[in-house]
Amino acid sequence: MTADPATPLLDTVEFPADLRRLAPGQLPQLAEELRAEMIAAVGQTGGHLGSGLGVVELTVAIHYVFNTPEDRLVWDVGHQAYPHKIITGRRSRIRTLRQGGGLSGFTKRSESEYDPFGAAHSSTSISAALGFAVANQLSGGTGKGIAVIGDGAMSAGMAYEAMNNAKQAGNRLVVILNDNDMSIAPPVGGLSAYLAKLVSSRPFLELRQFARRISRRLPNVLHRAAKRTDEFARGMAMGGTLFEELGFYYVGPVDGHNLDHLIPVLENVRDAVEGPCLVHVVTQKGKGYAPAEAAADKYHGVQKFDVITGEQVKSAPGAPSYTGVFAQALAAEAARDDKICAITAAMPSGTGLDKFTALYPERTFDVGIAEQHGVTFAAGLAAQGMRPFCAIYSTFLQRAYDQVVHDVAIQNLPVRFAIDRAGLVGADGATHAGSFDVTYLASLPNMVVMAAADEAELVHMVHTAALHDSGPIAFRYPRGNGTGVPLPAVPERLEIGKGRIVRSGTKVALLSLGTRLAEALKAADQLEARGLSTTVADLRFVKPLDEELIRRLMSTHEVIVTIEEGAIGGLGAHVLTMASDEGLTDAGLRIRTMRLPDLFQDHDAPDRQYDTAGLNAPHIVETVLKALRHNSAGVEEARA
Ligand SMILES: Cc1ncc(C[n+]2csc(CCOP(=O)(O)OP(=O)(O)O)c2C)c(N)n1
């Protein structure tokens, strides 16, 4: 295709079919335009930057060579898929990324047929691509399953579980290992050292070398002996790769920014390889944008930024973040107790543990993207007398649920769970929301579950957890900044299972768990203004529940409303169960529960998310008025 030199090539490419009409020689220019478009868009929206920049050429090459969407392309995590979105019909909406009603920051099935599988949690791509490949095999479809997985994501056990089963897919499965030698932070562990060795011990693969190897792989009886000799020789020379041992044909390393190498290698993988194939592509995170190249970890995810300077928009100085307060409080505990140690699953900066590592490197463990291992590792540490804090986001702890139940709770081991990003998470959307931790933890025998109402409470909870040796204990706190309350100079040890009255009244009792307390207090002001005397309690614990306090409030108030930032099955369920077990509802007590709605809430601005969820002060007032059968003017209606 010859384009008008004045027209950017990217303007001629709305879908991969347009891309495939270009000559190979035009692809580098297209890649540069795609990179510039992505930088400009993320400058306006914020979001994931470094990972997408690193796969611009790879994105172009995959769509050029493979027959997407019939070939099912699965991006692991999906945070690197912005260039993919731009050339799969979504360029006109790319500046809506992560905004309410706009494009998701990850792949999403409902967005495009080019996103055959949604993601955001890592290391699922090989399993999903294998599913596509095998389904096609069974139904006679011709499409392949293609997984693009990063070296960080490759540290999770699930990737190996999938590879262990891959043989059945034959050559319908292609795994592209995108090795940029970075997770969000520098990668950890034996696998990353192994990949580095592979890359340094072999020259980048070019078509010529690949073709030589492929010819030896052809299924020709005459070549079998030679093939065996070749494999033997390769094994002797550089060791059979781990991936070969798992049944993959290993190709690489390939320079992931050189389209002259990438395209022919992928074409050969598409056409000539017999079994499942793993292409090891080496890329640079942040490629082509100097500030991101210079600090790949800082530009993994960004705020809006100035494209010329790379400077990110700073949020107004305000209260410290919950994450920062947690890290500081934990460091203070570790200073007085050398048994305290901390575990993160590849999120040292996200959990604040980077600061802890700086002080106590020998007591911090980054286990890689391996939440399951992290939890059982903590259980082992606890069983041997250490006091481990597992700092894992609510959403990622879901992956380690069996370990929480089987390895920690059943054995009643004192593992401390610091659960960050509990509740709604704004632009990261449904996949990252911490909606379920109270439900899945407070149903477990032995488990203590707390929720911090503000950052001062968080400090008390870290202290309480540090001193709690009799079994597992968890505390949850949200994304973002605290309320600005002063932090305690000396942390308090909270009495397990005891809440506190924050404001006393006589008619309505609002039972709050966690940071909706501020809205409950606002609602109490508005109810008082209507002449409805309101008590506000911060329960602090959902398990064990402060039954004595709740019983007292139930016997002295007309309406009880529970408020929490979690799904059904949390505080509301525990309070209702207690009330009905004790027959407290028999006398006509009105109990209402306010919680997250029964839906996966899309990405949006946090305040709008709370409005959608119905968890702001006006919703609380409305709920109370309805329960009292008042009309909106506050006048009591006749009871039915
Ligand atoms: C189960 C799970 N744990 C943690 C994360 C948070 N996370 C998002 S991207 C990422 C790093 C991924 O590294 P890699 O696969 O190498 O991709 P890159 O960003 O380097 O392209 C992590 C830890 C996640 N998405 N899923």
Side-chain angles (χ1 to χ4, degrees):
M1 175 173 172
T2 48
D4 173 350
T7 308
L9 280 178
L10 189 59
D11 289 356
T12 68
V13 175
E14 196 180 351
F15 287 100
D18 306 318
L19 171 69
R20 291 177 204 128
R21 281 193 281 271
L22 299 180
Q26 292 176 295
L27 298 182
Q29 183 191 329
L30 178 82
E32 274 321 300
E33 292 172 10
L34 182 54
R35 178 169 276 118
E37 175 72 343
M38 183 189 154
I39 295 168
V42 181
Q44 286 180 23
T45 61
H48 286 103
L49 184 66
S51 310
L53 290 178
V55 295
V56 167
E57 287 80 12
L58 187 58
T59 304
V60 169
I62 292 171
H63 284 295
Y64 193 70
V65 170
F66 290 98
N67 186 27
T68 54
E70 193 183 319
D71 285 332
R72 300 306 210 175
L73 173 58
V74 185
W75 294 96
D76 205 277
V77 183
H79 63 316
Q80 74 291 64
Y82 300 179
H84 157 84
K85 292 194 182 208
I86 293 172
I87 59 168
T88 54
R90 286 168 276 183
R91 185 180 176 196
S92 63
R93 299 179 64 210
I94 201 67
R95 283 163 179 75
T96 69
L97 269 170
R98 293 160 55 91
Q99 324 289 308
L103 292 177
S104 161
F106 303 96
T107 48
K108 197 167 182 187
R109 275 172 63 85
S110 59
E111 234 177 55
S112 165
E113 61 177 332
Y114 290 88
D115 289 5
F117 205 75
H121 288 204
S122 91
S123 318
T124 60
S125 61
I126 305 178
S127 301
L130 179 60
F132 284 117
V134 170
N136 271 342
Q137 201 167 40
L138 294 174
S139 58
T142 55
K144 291 183 188 289
I146 305 162
V148 184
I149 180 166
D151 54 302
M154 201 54 126
S155 65
M158 197 175 164
Y160 297 86
E161 294 168 29
M163 284 193 284
N164 192 38
N165 274 278
K167 214 161 184 160
Q168 55 192 302
N171 69 355
R172 288 170 197 259
L173 179 69
V174 178
V175 174
I176 299 176
L177 170 59
N178 171 35
D179 181 1
N180 57 22
D181 198 26
M182 277 298 276
S183 189
I184 293 180
V188 293
L191 178 79
S192 109
Y194 175 69
L195 293 179
K197 206 162 90 189
L198 272 185
V199 171
S200 63
S201 65
R202 298 167 187 235
F204 276 144
L205 189 74
E206 295 178 41
L207 174 63
R208 207 165 15 88
Q209 298 153 311
F210 183 64
R212 216 183 303 136
R213 263 203 227 166
I214 278 286
S215 73
R216 298 194 191 109
R217 300 280 304 183
L218 290 176
N220 182 337
V221 180
L222 293 175
H223 285 170
R224 279 214 183 117
K227 202 166 92 182
R228 270 202 302 275
T229 313
D230 162 53
E231 276 166 4
F232 181 69
R234 278 198 293 147
M236 291 294 282
M238 34 199 149
T241 70
L242 173 65
F243 307 106
E244 282 164 330
E245 304 300 337
L246 284 168
F248 279 79
Y249 186 68
Y250 170 89
V251 177
V254 184
D255 178 353
H257 300 300
N258 185 334
L259 283 155
D260 290 340
H261 291 184
L262 267 182
I263 300 272
V265 166
L266 290 182
E267 281 171 343
N268 279 281
V269 165
R270 180 192 62 198
D271 300 331
V273 173
E274 283 168 54
C277 182
L278 183 136
V279 189
H280 184 177
V281 174
V282 177
T283 61
Q284 182 184 9
K285 203 158 178 166
K287 174 77 176 174
Y289 186 54
E293 284 185 8
D297 52 348
K298 292 201 180 66
Y299 283 80
H300 176 88
V302 293
Q303 304 293 331
K304 295 174 188 186
F305 62 93
D306 181 323
V307 171
I308 308 288
T309 63
E311 205 162 302
Q312 297 181 44
V313 173
K314 289 207 176 63
S315 34
S321 70
Y322 280 96
T323 302
V325 170
F326 158 69
Q328 206 181 338
L330 186 62
E333 298 297 330
R336 56 156 193 83
D337 180 354
D338 65 6
K339 294 262 186 277
I340 285 180
C341 47
I343 294 152
T344 172
M347 305 294 285
S349 61
T351 56
L353 287 188
D354 50 350
K355 297 187 186 76
F356 189 87
T357 319
L359 295 169
Y360 304 106
E362 73 293 352
R363 285 195 266 155
T364 318
F365 304 95
D366 180 349
V367 296
I369 307 181
E371 289 81 4
Q372 297 162 306
H373 157 62
V375 169
T376 304
F377 170 56
L381 286 168
Q384 195 61 21
M386 299 300 289
R387 298 197 172 92
F389 277 73
C390 252
I392 299 182
Y393 291 7
S394 169
T395 190
F396 299 141
L397 188 59
Q398 288 163 195
R399 187 163 279 194
Y401 189 50
D402 186 58
Q403 285 72 9
V404 173
V405 177
H406 175 269
D407 299 328
V408 176
I410 289 180
Q411 306 194 87
N412 202 22
L413 290 168
V415 173
R416 288 84 174 155
F417 293 99
I419 304 179
D420 201 331
R421 308 307 197 266
L424 298 173
V425 292
D428 280 334
T431 53
H432 279 53
S435 311
F436 309 113
D437 55 280
V438 171
T439 304
Y440 68 65
L441 292 176
S443 53
L444 299 179
N446 294 335
M447 185 67 78
V448 173
V449 183
M450 304 181 272
D454 58 38
E455 61 271 40
E457 283 288 301
L458 177 57
V459 173
H460 298 320
M461 288 178 183
V462 173
H463 185 61
T464 305
L467 299 176
H468 187 77
D469 285 334
S470 58
I473 187 164
F475 50 98
R476 73 186 316 245
Y477 46 100
R479 180 186 180 159
N481 293 342
T483 58
V485 291
L487 293 177
V490 181
E492 199 182 304
R493 181 177 190 172
L494 303 176
E495 193 180 340
I496 299 294
K498 288 290 166 200
R500 60 178 177 141
I501 299 286
V502 183
R503 159 184 186 139
S504 291
T506 54
K507 193 173 175 81
V508 176
L510 305 178
L511 308 188
S512 171
L513 180 76
T515 44
R516 289 288 95 194
L517 179 67
E519 291 298 307
L521 286 167
K522 269 193 228 162
D525 281 341
Q526 293 168 23
L527 290 167
E528 288 287 348
R530 291 169 183 260
L532 298 169
S533 171
T534 302
T535 296
V536 179
D538 169 20
L539 284 182
R540 284 179 167 153
F541 293 80
V542 53
K543 185 169 175 112
L545 208 52
D546 191 344
E547 295 187 347
E548 193 190 317
L549 173 69
I550 295 171
R551 222 175 271 130
R552 182 153 49 85
L553 294 177
M554 285 185 175
S555 65
T556 50
H557 291 70
E558 275 179 48
V559 174
I560 302 283
V561 179
T562 65
I563 301 142
E564 64 191 310
E565 196 175 336
I568 190 166
L571 176 71
H574 286 258
V575 169
L576 277 173
T577 303
M578 177 211 148
S580 78
D581 282 357
E582 298 193 6
L584 299 173
T585 47
D586 299 356
L589 176 70
R590 290 172 237 185
I591 306 179
R592 301 291 181 270
T593 64
M594 299 185 69
R595 54 188 188 272
L596 291 175
D598 183 24
L599 54 91
F600 290 108
Q601 259 183 268
D602 271 338
H603 51 281
D604 206 339
D607 48 347
R608 278 204 296 273
Q609 284 191 323
Y610 288 120
D611 251 350
T612 311
L615 286 179
N616 281 329
H619 305 109
I620 300 173
V621 171
E622 191 62 32
T623 303
V624 170
L625 294 181
K626 262 200 199 149
L628 282 168
R629 294 187 175 80
H630 276 233
N631 64 27
S632 53
V635 179
E636 191 162 38
E637 292 165 351
R639 292 219 181 136

PDB file of all heavy atoms in Angstrom, residues 64 147 150 162 214 226 273-274 288 343 357 359 372 391 394 400 437 456 476 480 508 530 580 583 590 595 637:
ATOM      1  N   TYR A  64       0.096  -8.348  12.572  1.00  0.00           N
ATOM      2  CA  TYR A  64       0.501  -8.439  11.159  1.00  0.00           C
ATOM      3  C   TYR A  64       0.589  -9.898  10.719  1.00  0.00           C
ATOM      4  O   TYR A  64       0.167 -10.268   9.635  1.00  0.00           O
ATOM      5  CB  TYR A  64       1.865  -7.758  10.999  1.00  0.00           C
ATOM      6  CG  TYR A  64       2.271  -7.496   9.560  1.00  0.00           C
ATOM      7  CD1 TYR A  64       1.621  -6.532   8.807  1.00  0.00           C
ATOM      8  CD2 TYR A  64       3.321  -8.203   8.971  1.00  0.00           C
ATOM      9  CE1 TYR A  64       1.988  -6.265   7.494  1.00  0.00           C
ATOM     10  CE2 TYR A  64       3.705  -7.946   7.657  1.00  0.00           C
ATOM     11  CZ  TYR A  64       3.026  -6.974   6.926  1.00  0.00           C
ATOM     12  OH  TYR A  64       3.393  -6.721   5.628  1.00  0.00           O
ATOM     13  N   ALA A 147      -0.826 -16.514  23.741  1.00  0.00           N
ATOM     14  CA  ALA A 147      -0.720 -15.838  25.029  1.00  0.00           C
ATOM     15  C   ALA A 147       0.526 -14.966  25.016  1.00  0.00           C
ATOM     16  O   ALA A 147       1.593 -15.418  24.612  1.00  0.00           O
ATOM     17  CB  ALA A 147      -0.602 -16.860  26.158  1.00  0.00           C
ATOM     18  N   GLY A 150       4.294 -11.651  30.515  1.00  0.00           N
ATOM     19  CA  GLY A 150       5.532 -10.988  30.926  1.00  0.00           C
ATOM     20  C   GLY A 150       6.391 -11.882  31.807  1.00  0.00           C
ATOM     21  O   GLY A 150       5.920 -12.884  32.354  1.00  0.00           O
ATOM     22  N   ALA A 162      -0.431 -24.331  33.561  1.00  0.00           N
ATOM     23  CA  ALA A 162      -0.931 -24.307  32.183  1.00  0.00           C
ATOM     24  C   ALA A 162       0.070 -24.950  31.229  1.00  0.00           C
ATOM     25  O   ALA A 162      -0.293 -25.777  30.383  1.00  0.00           O
ATOM     26  CB  ALA A 162      -1.215 -22.874  31.757  1.00  0.00           C
ATOM     27  N   ILE A 214      14.435 -24.908  12.388  1.00  0.00           N
ATOM     28  CA  ILE A 214      13.126 -25.416  12.005  1.00  0.00           C
ATOM     29  C   ILE A 214      13.253 -26.591  11.047  1.00  0.00           C
ATOM     30  O   ILE A 214      12.570 -27.594  11.157  1.00  0.00           O
ATOM     31  CB  ILE A 214      12.295 -24.287  11.339  1.00  0.00           C
ATOM     32  CG1 ILE A 214      11.677 -23.426  12.423  1.00  0.00           C
ATOM     33  CG2 ILE A 214      11.227 -24.819  10.433  1.00  0.00           C
ATOM     34  CD1 ILE A 214      10.522 -24.068  13.126  1.00  0.00           C
ATOM     35  N   ALA A 226      18.952 -37.333  13.075  1.00  0.00           N
ATOM     36  CA  ALA A 226      19.681 -36.061  13.080  1.00  0.00           C
ATOM     37  C   ALA A 226      19.061 -35.109  14.083  1.00  0.00           C
ATOM     38  O   ALA A 226      19.756 -34.369  14.783  1.00  0.00           O
ATOM     39  CB  ALA A 226      19.648 -35.449  11.683  1.00  0.00           C
ATOM     40  N   VAL A 273       6.157 -24.717  13.092  1.00  0.00           N
ATOM     41  CA  VAL A 273       6.458 -25.466  14.312  1.00  0.00           C
ATOM     42  C   VAL A 273       5.389 -26.510  14.573  1.00  0.00           C
ATOM     43  O   VAL A 273       4.208 -26.270  14.379  1.00  0.00           O
ATOM     44  CB  VAL A 273       6.584 -24.477  15.501  1.00  0.00           C
ATOM     45  CG1 VAL A 273       6.736 -25.224  16.809  1.00  0.00           C
ATOM     46  CG2 VAL A 273       7.780 -23.562  15.272  1.00  0.00           C
ATOM     47  N   GLU A 274       5.836 -27.669  15.022  1.00  0.00           N
ATOM     48  CA  GLU A 274       4.896 -28.781  15.212  1.00  0.00           C
ATOM     49  C   GLU A 274       4.039 -28.666  16.465  1.00  0.00           C
ATOM     50  O   GLU A 274       2.840 -28.836  16.443  1.00  0.00           O
ATOM     51  CB  GLU A 274       5.670 -30.091  15.322  1.00  0.00           C
ATOM     52  CG  GLU A 274       6.186 -30.641  14.038  1.00  0.00           C
ATOM     53  CD  GLU A 274       7.168 -31.761  14.323  1.00  0.00           C
ATOM     54  OE1 GLU A 274       6.797 -32.703  15.044  1.00  0.00           O
ATOM     55  OE2 GLU A 274       8.303 -31.667  13.840  1.00  0.00           O
ATOM     56  N   GLY A 288      11.298   3.972  24.065  1.00  0.00           N
ATOM     57  CA  GLY A 288      10.974   5.067  23.167  1.00  0.00           C
ATOM     58  C   GLY A 288      10.480   6.322  23.863  1.00  0.00           C
ATOM     59  O   GLY A 288      10.146   7.297  23.202  1.00  0.00           O
ATOM     60  N   ILE A 343       5.767  -9.573  54.066  1.00  0.00           N
ATOM     61  CA  ILE A 343       5.753 -10.311  52.797  1.00  0.00           C
ATOM     62  C   ILE A 343       4.929  -9.531  51.780  1.00  0.00           C
ATOM     63  O   ILE A 343       3.827  -9.068  52.084  1.00  0.00           O
ATOM     64  CB  ILE A 343       5.127 -11.700  53.010  1.00  0.00           C
ATOM     65  CG1 ILE A 343       6.038 -12.526  53.920  1.00  0.00           C
ATOM     66  CG2 ILE A 343       4.919 -12.432  51.685  1.00  0.00           C
ATOM     67  CD1 ILE A 343       5.313 -13.555  54.706  1.00  0.00           C
ATOM     68  N   THR A 357      11.467  -2.362  53.519  1.00  0.00           N
ATOM     69  CA  THR A 357      12.662  -3.067  53.027  1.00  0.00           C
ATOM     70  C   THR A 357      13.914  -2.251  53.279  1.00  0.00           C
ATOM     71  O   THR A 357      14.965  -2.802  53.626  1.00  0.00           O
ATOM     72  CB  THR A 357      12.586  -3.269  51.491  1.00  0.00           C
ATOM     73  OG1 THR A 357      11.272  -3.626  51.144  1.00  0.00           O
ATOM     74  CG2 THR A 357      13.562  -4.300  51.004  1.00  0.00           C
ATOM     75  N   LEU A 359      14.586  -0.367  55.643  1.00  0.00           N
ATOM     76  CA  LEU A 359      14.996  -0.449  57.049  1.00  0.00           C
ATOM     77  C   LEU A 359      15.353  -1.872  57.468  1.00  0.00           C
ATOM     78  O   LEU A 359      16.270  -2.099  58.240  1.00  0.00           O
ATOM     79  CB  LEU A 359      13.853   0.056  57.944  1.00  0.00           C
ATOM     80  CG  LEU A 359      13.487   1.531  57.792  1.00  0.00           C
ATOM     81  CD1 LEU A 359      12.177   1.829  58.512  1.00  0.00           C
ATOM     82  CD2 LEU A 359      14.608   2.393  58.370  1.00  0.00           C
ATOM     83  N   GLN A 372      -0.320 -17.181  46.559  1.00  0.00           N
ATOM     84  CA  GLN A 372      -0.585 -18.464  47.237  1.00  0.00           C
ATOM     85  C   GLN A 372       0.632 -18.889  48.042  1.00  0.00           C
ATOM     86  O   GLN A 372       0.543 -19.228  49.217  1.00  0.00           O
ATOM     87  CB  GLN A 372      -0.936 -19.537  46.200  1.00  0.00           C
ATOM     88  CG  GLN A 372      -2.198 -19.226  45.446  1.00  0.00           C
ATOM     89  CD  GLN A 372      -2.304 -20.024  44.171  1.00  0.00           C
ATOM     90  OE1 GLN A 372      -1.411 -20.029  43.333  1.00  0.00           O
ATOM     91  NE2 GLN A 372      -3.406 -20.723  44.010  1.00  0.00           N
ATOM     92  N   ALA A 391       1.243  -8.459  53.340  1.00  0.00           N
ATOM     93  CA  ALA A 391       0.613  -7.242  52.813  1.00  0.00           C
ATOM     94  C   ALA A 391       0.184  -7.507  51.373  1.00  0.00           C
ATOM     95  O   ALA A 391       1.015  -7.521  50.458  1.00  0.00           O
ATOM     96  CB  ALA A 391       1.594  -6.084  52.891  1.00  0.00           C
ATOM     97  N   SER A 394      -6.630  -6.573  48.698  1.00  0.00           N
ATOM     98  CA  SER A 394      -7.826  -7.395  48.872  1.00  0.00           C
ATOM     99  C   SER A 394      -8.095  -8.272  47.643  1.00  0.00           C
ATOM    100  O   SER A 394      -8.345  -9.469  47.749  1.00  0.00           O
ATOM    101  CB  SER A 394      -9.027  -6.481  49.130  1.00  0.00           C
ATOM    102  OG  SER A 394     -10.219  -7.194  49.051  1.00  0.00           O
ATOM    103  N   ALA A 400      -5.363 -16.501  46.958  1.00  0.00           N
ATOM    104  CA  ALA A 400      -4.732 -17.361  47.969  1.00  0.00           C
ATOM    105  C   ALA A 400      -5.748 -17.829  49.001  1.00  0.00           C
ATOM    106  O   ALA A 400      -5.382 -18.133  50.131  1.00  0.00           O
ATOM    107  CB  ALA A 400      -3.599 -16.599  48.640  1.00  0.00           C
ATOM    108  N   ASP A 437     -13.352  -9.256  50.668  1.00  0.00           N
ATOM    109  CA  ASP A 437     -12.498  -9.799  51.736  1.00  0.00           C
ATOM    110  C   ASP A 437     -13.241 -10.014  53.044  1.00  0.00           C
ATOM    111  O   ASP A 437     -13.029 -11.022  53.726  1.00  0.00           O
ATOM    112  CB  ASP A 437     -11.247  -8.930  51.939  1.00  0.00           C
ATOM    113  CG  ASP A 437     -11.562  -7.481  52.203  1.00  0.00           C
ATOM    114  OD1 ASP A 437     -11.844  -6.753  51.230  1.00  0.00           O
ATOM    115  OD2 ASP A 437     -11.542  -7.061  53.351  1.00  0.00           O
ATOM    116  N   ALA A 456      -5.629   6.902  61.803  1.00  0.00           N
ATOM    117  CA  ALA A 456      -5.217   6.715  63.199  1.00  0.00           C
ATOM    118  C   ALA A 456      -5.644   5.322  63.673  1.00  0.00           C
ATOM    119  O   ALA A 456      -4.888   4.614  64.360  1.00  0.00           O
ATOM    120  CB  ALA A 456      -5.854   7.792  64.080  1.00  0.00           C
ATOM    121  N   ARG A 476      -8.291  -4.325  57.197  1.00  0.00           N
ATOM    122  CA  ARG A 476      -8.473  -3.800  55.843  1.00  0.00           C
ATOM    123  C   ARG A 476      -8.471  -2.279  55.865  1.00  0.00           C
ATOM    124  O   ARG A 476      -8.903  -1.652  56.828  1.00  0.00           O
ATOM    125  CB  ARG A 476      -9.750  -4.356  55.216  1.00  0.00           C
ATOM    126  CG  ARG A 476     -11.011  -3.763  55.797  1.00  0.00           C
ATOM    127  CD  ARG A 476     -12.318  -4.399  55.308  1.00  0.00           C
ATOM    128  NE  ARG A 476     -12.474  -4.671  53.920  1.00  0.00           N
ATOM    129  CZ  ARG A 476     -13.378  -4.076  53.115  1.00  0.00           C
ATOM    130  NH1 ARG A 476     -14.196  -3.131  53.586  1.00  0.00           N
ATOM    131  NH2 ARG A 476     -13.484  -4.426  51.847  1.00  0.00           N
ATOM    132  N   GLY A 480      -5.912   5.161  48.628  1.00  0.00           N
ATOM    133  CA  GLY A 480      -5.971   6.614  48.675  1.00  0.00           C
ATOM    134  C   GLY A 480      -5.536   7.207  50.003  1.00  0.00           C
ATOM    135  O   GLY A 480      -4.915   6.547  50.834  1.00  0.00           O
ATOM    136  N   VAL A 508     -32.003   6.422  66.219  1.00  0.00           N
ATOM    137  CA  VAL A 508     -31.399   5.719  65.077  1.00  0.00           C
ATOM    138  C   VAL A 508     -29.970   5.347  65.460  1.00  0.00           C
ATOM    139  O   VAL A 508     -29.264   6.166  66.042  1.00  0.00           O
ATOM    140  CB  VAL A 508     -31.353   6.648  63.838  1.00  0.00           C
ATOM    141  CG1 VAL A 508     -30.653   5.971  62.677  1.00  0.00           C
ATOM    142  CG2 VAL A 508     -32.749   7.102  63.451  1.00  0.00           C
ATOM    143  N   ARG A 530     -33.257  16.842  61.259  1.00  0.00           N
ATOM    144  CA  ARG A 530     -34.668  16.471  61.076  1.00  0.00           C
ATOM    145  C   ARG A 530     -35.293  16.004  62.387  1.00  0.00           C
ATOM    146  O   ARG A 530     -36.360  15.421  62.391  1.00  0.00           O
ATOM    147  CB  ARG A 530     -34.777  15.347  60.052  1.00  0.00           C
ATOM    148  CG  ARG A 530     -34.435  15.757  58.645  1.00  0.00           C
ATOM    149  CD  ARG A 530     -34.304  14.517  57.773  1.00  0.00           C
ATOM    150  NE  ARG A 530     -33.903  14.863  56.426  1.00  0.00           N
ATOM    151  CZ  ARG A 530     -34.722  14.945  55.398  1.00  0.00           C
ATOM    152  NH1 ARG A 530     -36.001  14.696  55.561  1.00  0.00           N
ATOM    153  NH2 ARG A 530     -34.271  15.271  54.213  1.00  0.00           N
ATOM    154  N   SER A 580     -31.288 -12.222  64.467  1.00  0.00           N
ATOM    155  CA  SER A 580     -32.359 -13.214  64.305  1.00  0.00           C
ATOM    156  C   SER A 580     -32.108 -14.426  65.201  1.00  0.00           C
ATOM    157  O   SER A 580     -33.039 -14.983  65.769  1.00  0.00           O
ATOM    158  CB  SER A 580     -32.534 -13.616  62.841  1.00  0.00           C
ATOM    159  OG  SER A 580     -31.546 -14.510  62.466  1.00  0.00           O
ATOM    160  N   GLY A 583     -33.468 -13.567  68.419  1.00  0.00           N
ATOM    161  CA  GLY A 583     -34.878 -13.165  68.413  1.00  0.00           C
ATOM    162  C   GLY A 583     -35.073 -11.666  68.587  1.00  0.00           C
ATOM    163  O   GLY A 583     -36.169 -11.198  68.908  1.00  0.00           O
ATOM    164  N   ARG A 590     -36.325  -2.467  63.380  1.00  0.00           N
ATOM    165  CA  ARG A 590     -36.069  -2.281  61.946  1.00  0.00           C
ATOM    166  C   ARG A 590     -34.563  -2.252  61.683  1.00  0.00           C
ATOM    167  O   ARG A 590     -33.871  -1.339  62.143  1.00  0.00           O
ATOM    168  CB  ARG A 590     -36.710  -0.986  61.479  1.00  0.00           C
ATOM    169  CG  ARG A 590     -38.218  -1.095  61.470  1.00  0.00           C
ATOM    170  CD  ARG A 590     -38.833   0.244  61.207  1.00  0.00           C
ATOM    171  NE  ARG A 590     -39.735   0.605  62.272  1.00  0.00           N
ATOM    172  CZ  ARG A 590     -40.483   1.700  62.237  1.00  0.00           C
ATOM    173  NH1 ARG A 590     -40.412   2.522  61.228  1.00  0.00           N
ATOM    174  NH2 ARG A 590     -41.297   1.966  63.233  1.00  0.00           N
ATOM    175  N   ARG A 595     -24.476  -1.805  51.776  1.00  0.00           N
ATOM    176  CA  ARG A 595     -23.248  -2.499  51.352  1.00  0.00           C
ATOM    177  C   ARG A 595     -23.060  -2.245  49.867  1.00  0.00           C
ATOM    178  O   ARG A 595     -23.877  -1.555  49.246  1.00  0.00           O
ATOM    179  CB  ARG A 595     -23.417  -3.993  51.628  1.00  0.00           C
ATOM    180  CG  ARG A 595     -24.673  -4.501  50.990  1.00  0.00           C
ATOM    181  CD  ARG A 595     -25.088  -5.904  51.310  1.00  0.00           C
ATOM    182  NE  ARG A 595     -26.199  -6.233  50.441  1.00  0.00           N
ATOM    183  CZ  ARG A 595     -27.478  -5.994  50.702  1.00  0.00           C
ATOM    184  NH1 ARG A 595     -27.830  -5.455  51.842  1.00  0.00           N
ATOM    185  NH2 ARG A 595     -28.409  -6.267  49.817  1.00  0.00           N
ATOM    186  N   GLU A 637     -45.142   8.809  57.957  1.00  0.00           N
ATOM    187  CA  GLU A 637     -46.342   8.349  57.278  1.00  0.00           C
ATOM    188  C   GLU A 637     -47.024   7.289  58.128  1.00  0.00           C
ATOM    189  O   GLU A 637     -46.400   6.695  59.003  1.00  0.00           O
ATOM    190  CB  GLU A 637     -45.967   7.738  55.920  1.00  0.00           C
ATOM    191  CG  GLU A 637     -45.440   8.786  54.952  1.00  0.00           C
ATOM    192  CD  GLU A 637     -44.729   8.155  53.767  1.00  0.00           C
ATOM    193  OE1 GLU A 637     -44.503   6.929  53.780  1.00  0.00           O
ATOM    194  OE2 GLU A 637     -44.396   8.907  52.853  1.00  0.00           O
TER     195      GLU A 637
END
